[in-house]
Amino acid sequence: SDGVVYYPDIKPFENNKAKVLENNYEESFMVLGKEYNTGIVLNAYAESYVIFNCDGYDKVKFTVARVDNTAKGENVVRVLADEKELNAVKTDQFSAPQTVEYDISGKSRLRIAILQSNEVRADIALTDICFYKDGEAIEENSSQESETADLVAVPSEKKPYENNNAEILDNSY
């Protein structure tokens, strides 16, 4: 329906040192071993950002993930609507991809930025970027389905039957 628009049908109108891939078969990036040729990569060594025109849209949803084989360390991805911070997404080398959703109704500019740092930081991928108008459910796009399973708490009575030098923590303080 026309109330839901996926990147690259909606593109950033401003890009500072970000790699913007649209079905690019010469270039790609990897997240958790899965290859992407559509998405945006924010460069950790530059004050990298993209800005979208979000006029007329009520919500935005996208996934923030670390690019495989880039540096360890913590990253902060800032999300701003009309230059007011909505939320920051923190990632480190242990972070699973995070799907985030923001209310952008009444806003006209959406900036997604990575803070510059002299420390070693990973590059950050933005995937499955979707803008939508209220009343429109985001339909999960099956071709872009995330392969990360939900984390499930394992009851402590379900202990591993084999353990080779692993430390098992089960609510023991």
Side-chain angles (χ1 to χ4, degrees), residues 8 10 30 41 61 80 86 94 128 132 137 141 151 157 160 168:
I10 184 168
M30 305 281 282
V41 177
K61 180 177 172 181
L80 303 100
L86 296 177
F94 306 111
D128 306 331
Y132 62 112
N141 189 333
L151 292 175
E157 60 271 11
I168 309 290

Side-chain angles (χ1 to χ4, degrees), residues 9 14 26 36 66 76-77 123 149:
D9 295 332
E14 194 177 317
E26 275 82 69
Y36 287 83
R66 296 170 66 79
V76 178
V77 176
D123 286 346

Side-chain angles (χ1 to χ4, degrees), residues 34-83:
K34 182 179 172 189
E35 186 173 13
Y36 287 83
N37 50 34
T38 297
I40 295 171
V41 177
L42 298 177
N43 181 316
Y45 291 99
E47 190 120 342
S48 190
Y49 63 82
V50 288
I51 302 178
F52 287 90
N53 177 356
C54 59
D55 234 350
Y57 291 99
D58 296 305
K59 292 204 170 105
V60 63
K61 180 177 172 181
F62 55 92
T63 300
V64 175
R66 296 170 66 79
V67 176
D68 290 0
N69 302 319
T70 60
K72 295 172 171 49
E74 187 180 80
N75 284 85
V76 178
V77 176
R78 297 177 67 213
V79 182
L80 303 100
D82 293 347
E83 297 306 308

Side-chain angles (χ1 to χ4, degrees), residues 4 6 18 20 22 24 40 51 53-54 60 63 69 71 78 93 96 103 110 112 117 124-125 135 138 147 151 160 169:
V4 180
Y6 281 91
V20 178
E22 302 169 22
N24 184 330
I40 295 171
I51 302 178
N53 177 356
C54 59
V60 63
T63 300
N69 302 319
R78 297 177 67 213
Q93 66 266 34
D103 182 341
L110 180 78
I112 307 170
S117 158
I124 295 294
I138 287 193
E147 289 177 12
L151 292 175
L169 303 176

Side-chain angles (χ1 to χ4, degrees), residues 80-146:
L80 303 100
D82 293 347
E83 297 306 308
K84 287 198 174 56
E85 183 125 16
L86 296 177
N87 198 359
V89 184
K90 286 194 167 118
T91 69
D92 63 27
Q93 66 266 34
F94 306 111
S95 299
Q98 300 172 67
T99 299
V100 292
E101 195 173 305
Y102 298 102
D103 182 341
I104 51 170
S105 47
K107 306 296 184 201
S108 57
R109 300 277 181 267
L110 180 78
R111 178 194 295 257
I112 307 170
I114 195 164
L115 293 180
Q116 187 172 11
S117 158
N118 300 327
E119 295 171 43
V120 182
R121 302 275 170 101
D123 286 346
I124 295 294
L126 308 174
T127 62
D128 306 331
I129 303 162
C130 177
F131 288 82
Y132 62 112
K133 297 177 177 152
D134 254 357
E136 293 288 341
I138 287 193
E139 296 155 35
E140 287 305 326
N141 189 333
S142 57
S143 67
Q144 299 181 322
E145 227 166 73
S146 156

